[in-house]
Amino acid sequence: MPSSSSEGPVIDRLVAANQRYAAEFADPGMDARPVLKVAVVACMDARLDLHAALGLELGDCHTIRNAGGVVTDDVIRSLTISQRALGTRSVVLIHHTGCGLLNLTEDFRHELEMEVGQRPSWAVESFKDADQDVRQSMERVRTSPFLLHTGDVRGFVFDVTTGLLREIDPANGPES
């Protein structure tokens, strides 16, 4: 079995870390409802430490992550459950500089189909302009018929070199 280092396979290291964590774990007695009533949708990029970057603590928010942080049907599903069943009211969308989706195209799906013999049912959701994709994601949230709370939706681009968020004005798109 290949390993990622001399310490053994990475999953074994993660399980061992969990054993150490659990040995000192105390049930925080929290409810599943986020204290701040906010859901954060962000890219899965490993450079984004969302809790640290936003000053969040365990239990403060729901965190929904995917490639690019784009609002897909599955993100709408998660946000709908977050709002309707667990009380969130606000949505924060975070894309970032240097995102891997900036270099992909929908050709990625075709290449996968050629390799494995089946076309993925999902879209890549690649983009050339992170700001514009944040605007599109904000619009998808604001217009979803499934979401109860669409008035407090804000989008940002996180700079991976400075750690700063830059807010995206939904009105300053290419059609403005």
Side-chain angles (χ1 to χ4, degrees):
M1 178 185 316
S3 69
S4 61
S5 76
S6 59
E7 297 176 29
V10 69
I11 296 175
D12 289 347
R13 291 185 306 162
L14 299 176
V15 171
N18 173 257
Q19 294 298 314
R20 292 187 299 276
Y21 172 78
E24 298 191 21
F25 183 80
D27 180 356
M30 295 178 174
D31 187 277
R33 296 171 181 270
V35 172
L36 299 179
K37 299 183 185 308
V38 63
V40 178
V41 178
C43 185
M44 65 185 191
D45 192 291
R47 296 171 290 181
L48 277 65
D49 183 348
L50 293 173
H51 277 74
L54 300 174
L56 296 168
E57 300 292 332
L58 182 67
D60 282 348
C61 72
H62 282 157
T63 306
I64 304 160
R65 295 180 80 155
N66 68 16
V70 296
V71 174
T72 60
D73 286 346
D74 195 55
V75 168
I76 293 293
R77 171 189 165 271
S78 293
L79 287 172
T80 301
I81 292 166
S82 178
Q83 288 189 358
R84 290 179 175 265
L86 297 166
T88 60
R89 300 288 181 265
S90 302
V91 179
V92 176
L93 304 170
I94 301 177
H95 285 31
H96 66 92
T97 58
C99 185
L101 284 187
L102 289 165
N103 299 320
L104 285 179
T105 67
E106 290 298 321
D107 289 341
F108 183 74
R109 290 176 74 229
H110 176 71
E111 293 163 6
L112 281 172
E113 180 182 13
M114 296 290 85
E115 180 183 329
V116 302
Q118 181 178 341
R119 180 178 297 232
S121 59
W122 39 264
V124 175
E125 294 279 353
S126 60
F127 49 87
K128 298 284 184 205
D129 181 336
D131 290 20
Q132 182 55 30
D133 202 68
V134 169
R135 286 185 197 93
Q136 176 177 291
S137 288
M138 284 190 281
E139 186 65 15
R140 286 178 177 174
V141 170
R142 288 185 173 134
T143 60
S144 173
F146 305 109
L147 299 175
L148 296 172
H149 307 285
T150 59
D152 191 14
V153 178
R154 292 172 63 186
F156 301 84
V157 172
F158 177 85
D159 187 314
V160 297
T161 61
T162 67
L164 289 172
L165 289 174
R166 179 174 49 80
E167 188 158 10
I168 304 303
D169 183 344
N172 286 339
E175 297 164 11
S176 300

